[in-house]
Amino acid sequence: MIPANLTHYIETEIIPRYEKFDKAHNLSHVQAVIEESLSLAKQYDVNESMAYTIAAYHDTGLCHDRATHHLISGEILKQDVTLRQWFNEIEIETMKEAVEDHRASTDHEPRSIYGKIVAEADRVIDPTITLRRTVQYGLKQQPEADKEWHYQRFHQHLMDKYAPGGYLKLWLPDSKNTERLKELQTIILNEELLKKTFNKLFSEEKNN
């Protein structure tokens, strides 16, 4: 059972920070990661309060930059003295490491089950959402670039990350992501379908 005062603190002081982030890392994203983390926490019989807190803090470092956000997020969690009301120093360190390990491009396996849970929850691989977020990110980074540039970036990113042999690693075979990744790969590997999907999403996002 997660203490009510912990939930209140995180909902009022931590989650609102996501309002300032891009569409791919906004309030709905952190809420989805929290929800999936708690679902996985029940499956693996771990401390729900820790899984909840890790999920809430996992992208807070985006206030600094994207490249090192996972490390900054871990520091934000560790330096938050308020969390000492609910967690001891060993738990704080475990949560910090889990936040640091959540990033999809990390070159090592998460150091604990908590890192695997938040990494898996952060994936939330839904073909439609993943493809839309990829378009949104490109438009945020290079709004002035032409459509062909955006398609090439979109295609390259999907191939690098999600295609067979890509850098995305799934750490929990029982998660929903295993089947969802196969669905996404079916779209990515069908060039005609991928281009058609991109055109639709690009048009919607440009006119949004």
Side-chain angles (χ1 to χ4, degrees):
M1 188 73 177
I2 302 171
N5 55 352
L6 172 59
T7 304
H8 180 263
Y9 174 68
I10 284 179
E11 286 184 351
T12 56
E13 299 297 330
I14 307 305
I15 291 175
R17 300 181 189 191
Y18 288 78
E19 292 173 357
K20 298 174 183 174
F21 301 154
D22 63 274
K23 287 182 180 179
H25 302 91
N26 58 12
L27 286 173
S28 63
H29 170 68
V30 69
Q31 286 157 355
V33 174
I34 287 171
E35 184 180 335
E36 185 64 15
S37 288
L38 291 176
S39 174
L40 289 167
K42 286 185 172 67
Q43 288 182 46
Y44 288 90
D45 192 27
V46 297
N47 184 319
E48 285 186 64
S49 295
M50 288 174 66
Y52 170 68
T53 302
I54 292 161
Y57 281 76
H58 83 282
D59 275 343
T60 51
L62 287 168
C63 63
H64 187 267
D65 68 20
R66 186 177 174 85
T68 62
H69 82 276
H70 53 305
L71 303 176
I72 304 292
S73 300
E75 278 303 311
I76 290 170
L77 186 154
K78 185 174 182 176
Q79 299 302 326
D80 191 339
V81 294
T82 307
L83 292 178
R84 270 70 181 175
Q85 293 178 43
W86 305 284
F87 305 105
N88 61 40
E89 290 305 316
I90 293 173
E91 290 169 333
I92 294 284
E93 189 63 28
T94 298
M95 293 193 294
K96 171 184 178 280
E97 289 180 354
V99 168
E100 290 176 342
D101 291 345
H102 86 271
R103 198 170 183 201
S105 56
T106 187
D107 59 0
H108 63 270
E109 183 172 341
R111 287 165 279 184
S112 71
I113 184 62
Y114 293 99
K116 290 179 180 179
I117 285 172
V118 70
E120 199 70 32
D122 188 44
R123 308 298 182 262
V124 190
I125 299 170
D126 175 299
T128 304
I129 293 172
T130 299
L131 295 168
R132 185 178 295 279
R133 280 177 58 173
T134 305
V135 171
Q136 287 171 343
Y137 183 73
L139 283 168
K140 182 175 187 294
Q141 295 304 308
Q142 297 284 348
E144 73 289 342
D146 64 20
K147 187 176 180 180
E148 185 55 32
W149 182 92
H150 279 285
Y151 178 72
Q152 292 303 324
R153 193 210 70 85
F154 170 84
H155 181 266
Q156 189 64 51
H157 172 73
L158 293 170
M159 293 299 291
D160 289 346
K161 184 172 182 178
Y162 297 103
Y167 67 76
L168 180 88
K169 300 290 187 295
L170 299 181
W171 303 114
L172 301 176
D174 299 331
S175 81
K176 300 170 188 171
N177 286 332
T178 303
E179 285 305 312
R180 288 173 175 169
L181 181 59
K182 289 177 185 171
E183 291 174 33
L184 181 58
Q185 287 173 344
T186 300
I187 298 170
I188 293 171
L189 299 175
N190 182 332
E191 183 85 31
E192 186 179 340
L193 177 58
L194 186 64
K195 190 72 180 269
K196 182 179 177 183
T197 304
F198 168 81
N199 287 337
K200 178 176 180 292
L201 293 172
F202 187 80
S203 176
E204 289 172 359
E205 291 301 319
K206 284 287 278 187
N207 296 321
N208 197 343

